[in-house]
Each structure stands twice: as C-alpha cells, then as structure tokens.
Amino acid sequence: MRLISLVLGGFVACSSALADEKTDLIAELQLTMQRHVDQSLVDGAIQRRDFETGEVVKYFPIDTHSMVMSLDEDYVLCLDLTTETGSSVPVDFYITETGSGFRVYQTEINNREVLENLMKAGRVERVK
C-alpha cells in the first residue's frame, strides 16, 4: 500500500510540475506577443498598407485568444484587431524560441487561411 502511495504521489508531483511548465510557457508566449504588439503600435494602432488601394489601414488590439498552438518547434498565438470602422479581423503571431528568449518572426493579419491550411495538414496542434 505504501508503494502505491509513493508511486501515486510521484505521479501527482510530476503532473503538477508539467502543469506549471505549461503555464509558464503560455505566460511567456503571451508576454512575447504583447511586447511585439506594443512595439508595433503607431499612435495606438498597428498599421498596414493595403497595396491594392495604396491606403494605410489601422488595426487596434481588442482581444487575445487563450489558445496556444504548436507548429513543429514553434508556436502560434492569436489576437483580434478592429479597424477604424469597427470590423474585427484575426491576427496570428508565429513565435520561435531563440537563445535570448521567444521572438515573433511572422505576423498574419486577416489571413487566417494560412493557419487553417496548416491545421488541415495536421502541422498545428493545440498546446495541452
């Protein structure tokens, strides 16, 4: 009976440590995304030029998604932005780990098709 208690206690401690690692990872990824957004803001908005119309479109951060996805050794985090007219658009941040921490290396604004194709191909999965 004592052996079973020790084994179960070790399993619980290991599960707890893994949960803490996951929580720390998600927090660090979200912080990386937020820093990237903050550094990209111009007068409170992320600006992108629409190369078809030539106009600058301003996107304002409104909401983060709690879902974190893995892509090979990288991660994908999402955020909703809103335009000046109030339209909501998704933005996906592709994040990798470097020797000095996590870094956003690609941002897809209103281009969810890229992520959906990766998901259909089984290349992206939710971090559990």
Side-chain angles (χ1 to χ4, degrees):
M1 191 62 158
R2 181 179 166 143
L3 178 60
I4 293 173
S5 295
L6 288 172
V7 170
L8 288 176
F11 178 74
V12 169
C14 184
S15 295
S16 178
L18 290 175
D20 288 346
E21 284 181 31
K22 177 186 168 193
T23 300
D24 290 347
L25 171 66
I26 290 171
E28 185 64 31
L29 290 167
Q30 289 175 332
L31 182 60
T32 299
M33 178 183 67
Q34 189 60 51
R35 284 182 181 149
H36 179 77
V37 168
D38 290 346
Q39 292 170 351
S40 301
L41 295 177
V42 176
D43 295 328
I46 295 174
Q47 298 185 97
R48 290 287 189 263
R49 183 159 307 271
D50 181 328
F51 292 112
E52 290 182 19
T53 66
E55 295 179 23
V56 172
V57 179
K58 294 182 179 184
Y59 298 97
F60 301 90
I62 55 171
D63 188 27
T64 59
H65 299 252
S66 60
M67 190 181 322
V68 175
M69 294 163 282
S70 64
L71 170 64
D72 300 324
E73 294 181 10
D74 296 338
Y75 300 93
V76 183
L77 279 78
C78 307
L79 178 73
D80 284 335
L81 302 174
T82 187
T83 64
E84 290 177 296
T85 62
S87 299
S88 180
V89 297
V91 58
D92 302 318
F93 298 91
Y94 292 79
I95 299 174
T96 194
E97 187 170 14
T98 70
S100 59
F102 290 101
R103 298 285 182 263
V104 174
Y105 66 87
Q106 186 166 335
T107 303
E108 295 292 331
I109 296 178
N110 205 19
N111 188 14
R112 183 53 54 84
E113 184 178 351
V114 173
L115 181 57
E116 289 172 349
N117 287 340
L118 289 167
M119 292 170 79
K120 287 178 189 172
R123 303 248 349 257
V124 175
E125 62 185 43
R126 187 175 180 175
V127 173
K128 298 176 182 177

